[in-house]
Amino acid sequence: MDTCTVLKFLQKLQQNNSKLWMDSHRDEYQQAKSLFTALVNHLLEALQQFDNDLHGVTAKECIFRINKNDFSKKGESPYKGHFGAGMSPGGRHSPSANYVLVLEPNGKSRAGGGIRKPTSKQLELIREEIDYSPGELQGILQEPGFKAAFGGLQGEKRKLPPKGYDKAHQEIALLKHNSFQVLHYFTDEEVCAPDFIARLLPLYRQVLPLHQFLNRSITENK
C-alpha cells in the first residue's frame, strides 16, 4: 500500500490548508483517503485474528474526518494535517480502548493504543482496578518488548494523588495518570519503507494486554 503518497498529500495540505486549495485538489485527496482506508481495512482484518472484539468493525466507523470541527474560528485552518483512525468495538468514538493509527508528516506518524481521554467515571474505574490488582498494569507496561516499543504511558498526569489515594500507595505513579495511551512514532522514511505495514501488527499485539486491562476495568466494574 502506497503510504508515501498519503504523506506527500498531507505535506501539501499542511502547506496550503484552505478550502480553495482542497477544492482544486479533490482528486488527490480522494486518492490519499482511499489509500488510508485500504490500510485501515487491512489492519482490521489482521487485528480480528487476535482480538475478537473487533469482528464486524469497518474502516468507515474508525476513520476520523479530516475536517476540523472548529474551522470557523478566525484564522483557524479548516483541515487537520493528518489522517487518523481509532480501531475499537463501535469505531472511533467507542468508549473502549482503541488501536491508534495516525499518518502525519514530519515524523509525527504514530501507532499504539489505549484510552487517551477517559471520562471521569472511566478514570475512577481504571484507578479502582489499579488499586484492586496491584502490579498488573505495571507488569504490562514494564514487559521488555512493550517498554522498548512504547516507553510508557503518555498524556496528562496529576501532580498530587487523586482523591481517596494516599501518596504512599504502591501504585501512586500510575494512579496519577489521567491518560492511558501508548504510542510509537515513525519517521517519514519509515512510513514510506516497504516494511512499514508489517511493523504495525507487532505493535498492536503488544497493546492487546493493555486493552484487556482497561476494557475489563470500565466494563466489569460498572
Side-chain angles (χ1 to χ4, degrees), residues 90-152:
R92 58 191 176 276
H93 296 305
S94 168
S96 302
N98 64 79
Y99 299 92
V100 175
L101 175 66
V102 176
L103 293 189
E104 184 171 1
N106 304 316
K108 294 182 179 180
S109 295
R110 52 210 184 264
I115 301 178
R116 185 170 69 93
K117 290 185 177 181
T119 64
S120 57
K121 182 59 177 177
Q122 286 180 323
L123 199 50
E124 176 187 341
L125 292 171
I126 293 168
R127 286 174 175 153
E128 285 181 3
E129 192 65 23
I130 292 171
D131 184 38
Y132 294 156
S133 308
E136 183 177 350
L137 179 56
Q138 194 67 258
I140 294 169
L141 299 175
Q142 293 300 318
E143 192 277 324
F146 188 100
K147 192 172 182 179
F150 302 110

Side-chain angles (χ1 to χ4, degrees), residues 3 154 171 201:
T3 48
Q154 302 187 20
E171 298 285 8
L201 287 174

Side-chain angles (χ1 to χ4, degrees), residues 37 40-41 44 58-64 92:
T37 300
V40 174
N41 268 320
L44 280 170
T58 66
K60 184 178 180 180
E61 295 174 290
C62 299
I63 295 174
F64 290 95
R92 58 191 176 276

Side-chain angles (χ1 to χ4, degrees), residues 27-38:
D27 289 346
E28 287 181 64
Y29 163 65
Q30 292 295 348
Q31 179 191 24
K33 183 181 178 182
S34 294
L35 289 168
F36 186 72
T37 300

Side-chain angles (χ1 to χ4, degrees), residues 124 127-129 131 161-169 172 175:
E124 176 187 341
R127 286 174 175 153
E128 285 181 3
E129 192 65 23
D131 184 38
K163 186 178 180 179
Y165 295 96
D166 190 271
K167 64 181 180 181
H169 194 291
I172 194 60
L175 291 168

Side-chain angles (χ1 to χ4, degrees), residues 31-61:
Q31 179 191 24
K33 183 181 178 182
S34 294
L35 289 168
F36 186 72
T37 300
L39 172 56
V40 174
N41 268 320
H42 173 79
L43 292 174
L44 280 170
E45 290 177 5
L47 285 166
Q48 289 163 1
Q49 301 303 309
F50 60 85
D51 190 337
N52 293 330
D53 291 339
L54 289 174
H55 282 289
V57 179
T58 66
K60 184 178 180 180
E61 295 174 290

